[in-house]
Structure formats: C-alpha cells, structure tokens
Amino acid sequence: MNDSAGEGITWHCKRWEELSREELYALLQLRAEVFVVEQNCPYQDLDDKDRKGLHLWAERSSAPAAGGGRVLAVTRLLPAGVSYAGEVSIGRVVTAGEVRRSGLGKELMVRSLEALHEAWPGEPIRLSAQQYLERFYAGFGFETVGDAYLEDGIPHVAMTRPAGRP
C-alpha cells in the first residue's frame, strides 16, 4: 500500500514491528497535535494497543534531504480481541487541520476498510466515533449502536459495520 495517490501524497500501512522510529514519532506527533492539543483532551494515548495492530497513514511527500514528509492522516487498525472481543476496530482516526474537508479523511477511511478486509477478511468492524462525525461514518456503512457517551470528555457513539462487507 506504499503507493502515491493525489498530488504529493504517499500512503503506508505497516505492522508495529515494521515501523521505523521516525515513522512512529511522526504518527504519535499528529495524534498528540490533534487529540491532546487541538481538542484539549489529555488522555492516555499510549495504551499498549499500538503494538498489536496495523498503522495506516498518509504523508505529504518531500525531498529526501528534508527527512521525509509531514504525516497528514492516521488510523490504527486492530484485530478482534484487542479493543473489542468479537470485532476488529478502527481507532485513533485523525487528520491534520490543513487537510480537513479536502477528501483525505474519506480516502483514509476507504483505505482503512480495505486494509482491515485484507488483514482480517469478513470480520465485523467497530469504532468509537466522536458524535459529530456520526454521519461521516454512516456513509461507510457503520450503524450507531447504543446511546451517546462521554469518552475523555468528548461525546462519542459506538458504531459497527456488519461482517462480510468489503
């Protein structure tokens, strides 16, 4: 999945043990930039789940001398039994402020679903969505289950996507 899509965007999908230190740092940096700083939400991002899944991200390509590109979007994809007993999951979904409303978030979800289907075919998928993004995820076949709840002080909803959907 290391192909380029869009102008100057390169996509990557790697297991924990395949990540370089620089890649891991860049992924965590974007997660902290958005979740902790922008959303003013101090929470325990490093929860030991990163080691068990796949990390999918888009970066803006740059000259090699510049030390790599800026990470623009990230998801963490986990097998069943890590976050949820019977479902694989998409989590830590984040896009950098400068690319929101550009379509990159939609492409991130399409590629996340493809990567989940490739790694764990036919499995149902669950995510914990910030409530204001409920319609966004519904557009990918996710359905809300249960009532809204607070997670780290932000309203969320649980959403699932049935097994077998590619």
Side-chain angles (χ1 to χ4, degrees), residues 111-133:
R111 288 175 179 265
S112 294
L113 292 169
E114 288 171 351
L116 280 173
H117 182 69
E118 185 177 315
W120 304 288
E123 294 288 326
I125 305 166
R126 179 177 286 261
L127 54 81
S128 178
Q130 290 187 9
Q131 193 171 19
Y132 83 96
L133 291 168

Side-chain angles (χ1 to χ4, degrees), residues 87 90 106 109-110 113 116 123-127 129 133-145 158-166:
E87 297 140 325
I90 300 174
K106 288 180 181 177
M109 284 306 299
V110 167
L113 292 169
L116 280 173
E123 294 288 326
I125 305 166
R126 179 177 286 261
L127 54 81
L133 291 168
E134 193 170 2
R135 274 191 5 187
F136 174 78
Y137 291 113
F140 294 97
F142 286 89
E143 299 172 356
T144 302
V145 292
M159 300 186 80
T160 60
R161 189 172 191 256
R165 290 198 59 190

Side-chain angles (χ1 to χ4, degrees), residues 12-30:
H12 307 274
C13 187
K14 294 185 178 185
R15 294 186 317 265
W16 169 264
E17 55 274 6
E18 296 172 319
L19 293 171
S20 71
R21 287 184 306 205
E22 291 77 18
E23 289 168 336
L24 177 60
Y25 185 90
L27 301 180
L28 295 175
Q29 185 176 40
L30 180 61

Side-chain angles (χ1 to χ4, degrees), residues 11-12 33 35 46 68 73 87 89 102 108 120 127 142 144 163:
W11 289 90
H12 307 274
E33 175 185 313
F35 295 136
L46 303 178
E87 297 140 325
S89 66
S102 71
L108 177 67
W120 304 288
L127 54 81
F142 286 89
T144 302

